[in-house]
Amino acid sequence: MGTTLYQQTKPVMKAFYILFLLFVCTAARAQTISITGTVTGDKHAVAGATVVLQNTGYRTVTNENGDFTLTNIPPGNYILQVSSVGYTIVNKNITAGTTNLFVQVPLTTGTRQLDSVVVQAAGQLHSGFTRLHDVEGMAIYAGKKTEVVVMKDMVANKATNNSRQLYAKVAGLNIWENDGAGIQLAIGGRGLSPNRVSNFNTRQNGYDISADALGYPESYYTPPAEAVERIEIVRGAASLQYGTQFGGMINFKMNHGSDSEKIAINTRLTGGSYGFFNTATSVGGTVNKLNYYAFFQHKSGDGYRPNSAFNANTGYAAATYSFNNRLSVTAQYTHLDYLEHQPGGLTDADFAKNPRQSVRARNWFKVNWNLGAVSLDYHLNPQLTFNTRFFGLLANRQALGLLTFINRIDDGSDRNLYIDHYRNWGNESRLLYQYNIGNMPATALVGFRYYSGHTNRQQGYGNNGSGGNASDFTFTPTKASDSLRYSDYVFPNHNTAVFAENIFRITPKLNIIPGVRYENITTRAQGTYTNVVFDLAGNPINPQQITDNKQNKRQFLLGGIGFTYNLTQPIQLYANISQNYKALNFNDLRTLNPNLRVDSSLQDEKGYSADLGIRKSTGIFNFDASLFMIHYNNKIGSILSTDATNFLIYNLRTNVAESRHYGLETYAEADIWKWIKGPAATTAVSLFSNFSLISAKYIHSKESAIEGRRVEFVPDVVFKTGVAVRHNRWAVSYQFSYTGKQFTDATNATYTDNAIDGLVPAYNIMDLSADYRISKHFSLSGSLNNLANAKYFTRRADSYPGPGIVPADGRSFFLTLQARL
């Protein structure tokens, strides 16, 4: 007999109970002091300023007289950070001894707000990697596994958004490399598909950027690394604040204008292999109460393979007006357009013979993306802060090409054309309240979200145009034989959610963080499609136009709880367990792809995720080691099947089984030079290591071919290591990456003739990057990607950009000249 859900979760829950009891029983009451102070700005008291002891749970806000008090502070060295809207952030090094402290903190006028700020004191690593604090901006991160990539400290190829380098220190990520230009990001973690980041709730400055966050959470827009300040990643427990995704949340925090200058200009010019050309220019500054920033990037190139040229343009603009030290309003706009020639996939034999070849010359991909957001931040009183954000998307994507199996010759027949139009908008509002329970501070967060998504999707035959190779994204005039448009659908979706989390500080060392989220989701599919049956020769017969109208309404409650325990001031234990949920997307409701079919009885995915870890993120040696588990009910996957009529092989997308993912993730980094020479050393030699082990299998499946098989897109081992050296004007970084083998379907097929399913072999890659600061205003950087010219691939695609094996780029070189004016 199968085990019950209680039996499945019993070992995990037991571990959490033991951990909780350990926390409570060992919570020490060491000698403590109080820190009091006054915050002033322009010789006046500043009410509502945020006061934080970094890397601890101690946090408060100033009262109407600008006064604050932090109690029960253990002895030690701390960084006191003070911030308020309209003022520049101040950091003070303080020492808590045996007597109470009084601190006077003067603030100076500025427009930078505390919205996920990373501060690194003298002697700390400047490695470009850290974690989020317990409370930052308008969010609670206590008890969650978080990772932050700080772009200004990265020595990497930013012009190409090289995800292998940018995310090198994020544990356990599986990365698909679709193109060498970094136009589309594809990352997944803990055994979740990397496809267009669809298993993360993907955001920019806190708002959604995917095609439809509810019904089609794929991201065709990736913020340019040259315009990004930092990348914030929160694992599965983020579902309580950010919505129904097993993977968690990834947020791209964009750059802002200079706080100290009225105008500052930065321009970067990059050239590289395969005709790569990139230019990126930004301008920003602060004029009185207005902070502004604008960025434009153009990139183009010929690509590693024939038929892979691209042309992309990205623009971003933002402005923040601070009416006073309590109220500010921010407006942002993003535009992206690109046209990409896609060389198609390869069979295993073709890849082994020559991975640079292309057997498709008529495949194209086009995107036009427009994002907008307006937000308001208001300190209602010293303890209560309110934020509301309206956001919207007006966009389209168009895909044109042959989706027939790659082992068939392109006979010049009509191409498949897929056109999507996205029109989405929403609001997310949050209240953050700082209060005391007895003499211990506590933090409460409540929020509301409304989301409306509307997608129009058309699929049919594309006009071959002049010579049949052109990027003509128009439908061919209707043929009498098959009503040419396969389908014409609208997908209206609505989502209302409320959520709450609270940090209960039980002792100066122990925090408990419960959370809850209520979801109301409605998804619809309305339209028509042509049911086309193909004969053995692949010709359409007996087409029938069918009207379709589906609706799915559901309401549910998600719950979770987290714990943190500070063993010492910089070392923390953390744990959490949280329910997760993922709704069916558009492709699950209706898709017309000759390589893929969808089970008509497909259901939403449900489950939970858990973390248990220990971390340190200050000083010259940092680490994070954690165990995780993800449990899926009704896991959606692909089963290799055969059509009973024409005997063609296809993938059936269905609820294949339950799945359980266990894993270990570790990260460690140390500045060995400062360790030897002391924190005053001007040279830095940092070593890092990033390692993950994952076991993900299907259990309790009705399909004998699935039971006990490995979950697809799960490399059992991901290992990355590297060294970075900084000396005077030089910075050099070397990185080695290893990704273990993985399967692409639930049956664990190792080979198929059409190359859609099969094994993705293990691969290892080396990269080398360097920066040189020529003067105060000029710098030069270079990157040698895939140093050993390894021939490898990271994915097998069942549609665009394949179908078939999608080869990764070989060795390439890039050189960037940067000017700051």
Side-chain angles (χ1 to χ4, degrees), residues 123 157 271 294 396 431 516 524 605 665 770:
N157 191 342
N396 64 73
L431 276 169
V516 66
R524 296 184 178 92
E605 297 175 311
E665 295 173 337

Side-chain angles (χ1 to χ4, degrees), residues 157-333:
N157 191 342
K158 300 174 186 176
T160 64
N161 282 7
N162 190 306
S163 52
R164 189 174 62 246
Q165 298 176 22
L166 297 179
Y167 299 90
K169 298 174 184 178
V170 180
L173 287 188
N174 186 17
I175 300 172
W176 282 355
E177 299 179 28
N178 298 309
D179 59 75
I183 296 176
Q184 286 189 19
L185 179 64
I187 59 173
R190 301 182 170 182
L192 305 178
S193 172
N195 187 38
R196 296 193 183 96
V197 210
S198 58
N199 281 291
F200 283 100
N201 186 296
T202 311
R203 300 187 169 208
Q204 175 179 283
N205 292 334
Y207 53 86
D208 297 311
I209 63 174
S210 57
D212 187 313
L214 180 64
Y216 191 54
E218 297 190 8
S219 299
Y220 292 97
Y221 158 65
T222 301
E226 293 170 306
V228 173
E229 177 183 313
R230 53 191 278 161
I231 304 170
E232 303 165 344
I233 299 174
V234 187
R235 300 303 180 116
S239 60
L240 297 180
Q241 284 190 49
Y242 295 101
T244 58
Q245 287 294 348
F246 278 82
M249 186 275 296
I250 178 170
N251 180 49
F252 296 88
K253 178 74 167 57
M254 304 296 281
N255 287 328
H256 67 285
S258 169
D259 296 323
S260 58
E261 300 173 277
K262 290 185 176 180
I263 182 170
I265 300 173
N266 186 62
T267 185
R268 291 165 56 92
L269 186 65
T270 303
S273 302
Y274 320 123
F276 181 83
F277 173 77
N278 176 83
T279 179
T281 301
S282 66
V283 58
T286 300
V287 179
N288 297 325
K289 296 183 177 183
L290 178 69
N291 179 272
Y292 68 95
Y293 178 82
F295 171 87
F296 178 78
Q297 178 196 60
H298 165 82
K299 68 170 66 175
S300 58
D302 301 323
Y304 174 65
R305 302 164 62 199
N307 307 312
S308 58
F310 57 89
N311 187 302
N313 301 281
T314 306
Y316 169 77
T320 298
Y321 187 81
S322 300
F323 294 91
N324 51 50
N325 63 350
R326 298 175 62 189
L327 176 65
S328 66
V329 174
T330 300
Q332 300 167 358
Y333 171 70

Side-chain angles (χ1 to χ4, degrees), residues 526-738:
Q526 302 167 346
T528 60
Y529 69 96
T530 302
N531 186 30
V532 182
V533 179
F534 295 90
D535 61 21
L536 295 178
N539 300 311
I541 57 175
N542 300 325
Q544 295 179 329
Q545 191 172 76
I546 299 175
T547 299
D548 196 12
N549 192 341
K550 297 179 181 178
Q551 179 173 289
N552 189 3
K553 293 184 177 180
R554 54 273 207 207
Q555 297 106 21
F556 54 89
L557 196 66
L558 299 176
I561 189 167
F563 305 90
T564 64
Y565 184 80
N566 296 317
L567 292 172
T568 64
Q569 194 272 323
I571 299 178
Q572 183 182 79
L573 291 172
Y574 65 95
N576 64 73
I577 186 166
S578 174
Q579 291 177 291
N580 298 100
Y581 183 96
K582 185 175 182 181
L584 300 178
N585 64 38
F586 299 155
N587 284 336
D588 299 328
L589 295 172
R590 170 56 54 191
T591 186
L592 288 162
N593 181 335
N595 308 318
L596 178 66
R597 301 182 188 180
V598 175
D599 185 346
S600 60
S601 60
L602 203 64
Q603 300 177 14
D604 295 336
E605 297 175 311
K606 303 176 183 179
Y608 62 87
S609 59
D611 290 284
L612 174 64
I614 183 170
R615 61 193 172 195
K616 176 180 179 291
S617 54
T618 60
I620 61 176
F621 173 61
N622 297 334
F623 63 85
D624 190 330
S626 64
L627 300 170
F628 72 85
M629 187 180 79
I630 298 176
H631 181 88
Y632 267 97
N633 293 317
N634 300 322
K635 177 77 167 65
I636 295 175
S638 298
I639 299 177
L640 201 61
S641 305
T642 303
D643 190 294
T645 303
N646 55 26
F647 306 105
L648 293 176
I649 296 175
Y650 65 91
N651 278 327
L652 176 64
R653 186 167 173 80
T654 185
N655 298 106
V656 295
E658 293 180 34
S659 75
R660 191 173 296 157
H661 307 219
Y662 294 100
L664 166 70
E665 295 173 337
T666 67
Y667 155 78
E669 185 167 14
D671 188 330
I672 59 174
W673 194 256
K674 283 185 168 58
W675 210 339
I676 296 171
K677 297 293 185 179
T682 57
T683 298
V685 180
S686 298
L687 292 174
F688 86 90
S689 176
N690 182 317
F691 180 73
S692 72
L693 286 172
I694 307 175
S695 174
K697 292 185 177 181
Y698 287 111
I699 57 176
H700 306 147
S701 175
K702 297 178 181 179
E703 297 283 343
S704 59
I706 304 302
E707 181 69 27
R709 299 285 186 177
R710 286 173 53 178
V711 176
E712 59 269 35
F713 315 127
V714 185
D716 49 2
V717 176
V718 178
F719 172 68
K720 297 175 184 177
T721 188
V723 58
V725 180
R726 295 178 181 272
H727 178 71
N728 295 332
R729 298 182 178 186
W730 280 97
V732 180
S733 173
Y734 166 84
Q735 176 187 314
F736 172 85
S737 307
Y738 172 84

Side-chain angles (χ1 to χ4, degrees), residues 474-503:
T474 58
F475 288 101
T476 306
T478 302
K479 293 180 179 178
S481 62
D482 54 37
S483 183
L484 199 54
R485 273 192 178 86
Y486 282 141
S487 68
D488 190 345
Y489 268 80
V490 293
F491 299 98
N493 299 291
H494 297 279
N495 173 218
T496 303
V498 291
F499 52 91
E501 286 196 54
N502 198 103
I503 303 178

Side-chain angles (χ1 to χ4, degrees), residues 7-18:
Q7 290 171 321
Q8 297 162 17
T9 60
K10 188 177 179 180
V12 177
M13 295 304 298
K14 184 177 180 180
F16 276 95
Y17 293 151
I18 293 173

